[in-house]
Every structure is written in C-alpha cells, then in structure tokens.
Amino acid sequence: MKRVLLVLMLAGAAGVASAEWVRAGASSQADVYADPSTIVRKENSVRMAALYDYKAADRATIFTKSLFSRVAQQEFDCDAARFRDVRASHYTQRMGTGDLLHTDSFPGSWQPVTPDSAAAQLRKIACGSN
C-alpha cells in the first residue's frame, strides 16, 4: 500500500504522463488505462493506479474548470468481483495533465464489477484471470 501511495505522489510531482499507462479499455465516456507497475497484492485484494481519460469535458458542479481526466488508486477484491476508489485526483487536461482540480483520499464504497465494463478490464489486469 505504501508503494502505491508513493508512486501516486511521485507521479503527481513528476507528471502523471511519466506513468506506464497501458490501455485497458473504453466506455462511452472515457478511455481507461492501468499502470501495472503500481500493482500491490495483499491476500486477495489488489491495488492499482488507473486513469480515466474523458472523451468530453465533464463540468462537475464542484469544479470551477472542466474536468478531462481522473487518476485513481483502485482496490479490487478479486474473489468477490468488486472494486472501489481509495484515492482519486481530477485534472483539467487529458491523461492526468494540466491543473490538479481536486484530490479525494477515501475508501469509497464497494461497487460490483459488471461484465464488459471498464472496471472488468482493469480487474483483469489487476487480478489476472480470477
């Protein structure tokens, strides 16, 4: 866990673009990338950095500028096929660049991984064939 947090902090300082992003899939709203070098396993739980590169600006009401990408540390429960955000940073430009709008550090609520979703593609990278 400390390794992933350190990687995310360093990525923010050095620019998220320096991460080893691998395209994991896409949804109608975003292209989704994973950084396999951030994978940390603990029993059947896996944490990994993910990047959501939005296809159109998201004008969330809590931000004064448009949101174009989000970098998250996500936790996957490989047995239960569920995931949650542990930390998320929101950026004004694509691929985790531009101004940092906001960072949430929280264990979010668990969400199911639905088949053929971006989360399913990320889970496949994080958990392997589980």
Side-chain angles (χ1 to χ4, degrees):
M1 179 167 95
K2 289 181 183 177
R3 179 177 172 230
V4 171
L5 289 175
L6 177 62
V7 168
L8 286 175
M9 287 172 27
L10 291 174
V16 178
S18 65
E20 299 174 27
W21 298 117
V22 174
R23 192 168 190 272
S27 69
S28 59
Q29 292 93 16
D31 291 321
V32 182
Y33 300 84
D35 185 353
S37 71
T38 64
I39 291 175
V40 176
R41 287 174 170 58
K42 183 176 181 182
E43 298 177 12
N44 205 48
S45 176
V46 178
R47 289 188 178 189
M48 179 179 71
L51 183 144
Y52 294 81
D53 194 43
Y54 297 111
K55 295 176 180 178
D58 181 357
R59 289 202 177 265
T61 57
I62 61 170
F63 302 125
T64 58
K65 296 180 182 178
S66 295
L67 165 66
F68 274 99
S69 58
R70 180 172 71 95
V71 177
Q73 179 192 22
Q74 293 186 315
E75 181 176 14
F76 295 86
D77 179 336
C78 297
D79 282 341
R82 60 186 187 160
F83 75 104
R84 65 181 175 179
D85 284 350
V86 177
R87 177 183 168 100
S89 297
H90 309 271
Y91 294 90
T92 59
Q93 295 182 19
R94 299 195 180 279
M95 297 301 291
T97 61
D99 295 336
L100 174 63
L101 293 173
H102 182 73
T103 297
D104 295 311
S105 294
F106 55 87
S109 59
W110 288 103
Q111 303 294 318
V113 174
T114 56
D116 300 321
S117 66
Q121 296 300 316
L122 290 168
R123 180 180 173 267
K124 185 176 180 181
I125 293 169
C127 300
S129 60
N130 280 4

